[in-house]
Amino acid sequence: MTTAHWPAPFSALPLDATVRIPASKSLTNRYLVLAAIAEGESRLRAPLQSRDSDLMIGALRALGAGILEVPGNGDVPDLVVTPIPAGFSAPDSGILVDCGLAGTVMRFVPPLAALVSGAVRFSGDPAALVRPMAPIVVALEGLGVRVDDGEDGFLPFTVHGTGAVHGGHVQVDAGGSSQFISAILLVASRFSQGLHLEHIGESVPSVDHISMTVEILRSLGVSVDDSTPNHWFVKPASIAGFDVELEQDLSNAGPFLAAALATRGTVRIPNWPANTTQVGDKWREILPQFGATVTLENGVLTVTGGAQIRGVDISDTSELAPSTAAICALASTPSRLRGISHLRGHETDRLAALVAEINALGGDAVETEDGLIITPAPLRAGVFHSYHDHRMATAGAIIGLAVPGVEVENIGTTAKTMPGFPAMWADMVAQTAEPSAGTGSTAAVEAGV
């Protein structure tokens, strides 16, 4: 990925664009894990092609799964997955899994590795080595799985699988990430005695992602009882091979929808699901609070920005927070984002990073214990750093639409979940006619004032 500065496209006119979004990373990587433990061949139609999904494919292949690209109905090939063979054993030298900076790989694959025989070592990018992993280590050890070098709660560590996991009652503190719950749930049906997973500690962030995991499991015939708060009961079961078409990534749709607000224009996204487990569907609730008009008709989500961007007071925006914060930086009144303290443990400390980058452009952002307060201030040209975080990079692109002269450092980091982002962003802007002579850019220039 390049680290050169990317001049963020500035739009002097309200956008009028239609954008198609690639498949969901969260869904792709969950279905890949489940296909690897299914009883027969599975097919994922139009899955995401990105660094995160490539890392997951590499990890599952290392554990014995067969994954082939085959022609699909669109521009993206389908994936045909042959599950990990029964009795698969790692070579005497062990297996090394590169997690990169993918949270789904570093959290979801270690419990799966416990189901094969042998040593599987997990490591990743330098930034991955400071992401919290202790709950996974504690949960695996609570299930009787030996883990070496995980005492500090970070990568790298080695899982020593024996080919089977007994299961039973295990406690985990998932206050830092919902992925710790999803990771164990995804493979729990393969435990000989099933699972009673109990969350202890503070509330779990991003509970929508746990709901996604539970609904996927149920759709594949796995019994999951989540009727008692903070408890999940999974019965042993076999998962039949499946054939599934992946929804587009609604979280990744966020920057494009935010572009409508940043330019006071209109952006349409086709094939928006009427019912979904994706957290990105919250954009339909979030954007009207900023003053946007949001409609979903005939599968097309249309967002039109208002004359001004109103400040908001919103809780639990989770992975949508960087794009939400970028909109707040362009608002005409103050905003507060709450319930997102767990973002300090994502690809970077997103709260500190957002404050640093918004303020470097002349903004006024401060951290709170659980979020951000962003007060209107005139923004200026400058460099918006990505911190190797795809959502930071796209936040910079949003601001750059309304503030001329913004450059995003390392836009290539968007390849983590959306490799084509720079071209998609440029195409979105290009769909709007060039301004005629004498046309002003009042809406964009006044953003953030």
Side-chain angles (χ1 to χ4, degrees), residues 225-242:
D225 180 354
D226 59 354
S227 59
T228 302
N230 295 327
H231 292 261
W232 294 263
F233 299 86
V234 182
K235 294 181 179 179
S238 296
I239 296 174
F242 53 86

Side-chain angles (χ1 to χ4, degrees), residues 5 19 51 68 101-102 123 171 173 190 204 210-211 219 227 255 311 378 422 430 447:
H5 293 172
V19 181
R51 187 180 185 223
L68 295 176
L101 194 49
S123 192
Q171 294 179 322
D173 183 352
R190 286 286 306 275
V204 181
I210 300 175
S211 298
S219 74
S227 59

Side-chain angles (χ1 to χ4, degrees), residues 30 34 68 72 79 119 135 172 195 197 237 252 255 281 312 317 321 424:
R30 280 167 171 78
L34 292 167
L68 295 176
L79 294 175
V172 61
L195 176 72
L197 179 61
N252 278 347
D281 198 39
V312 297
T317 47
M424 292 172 63

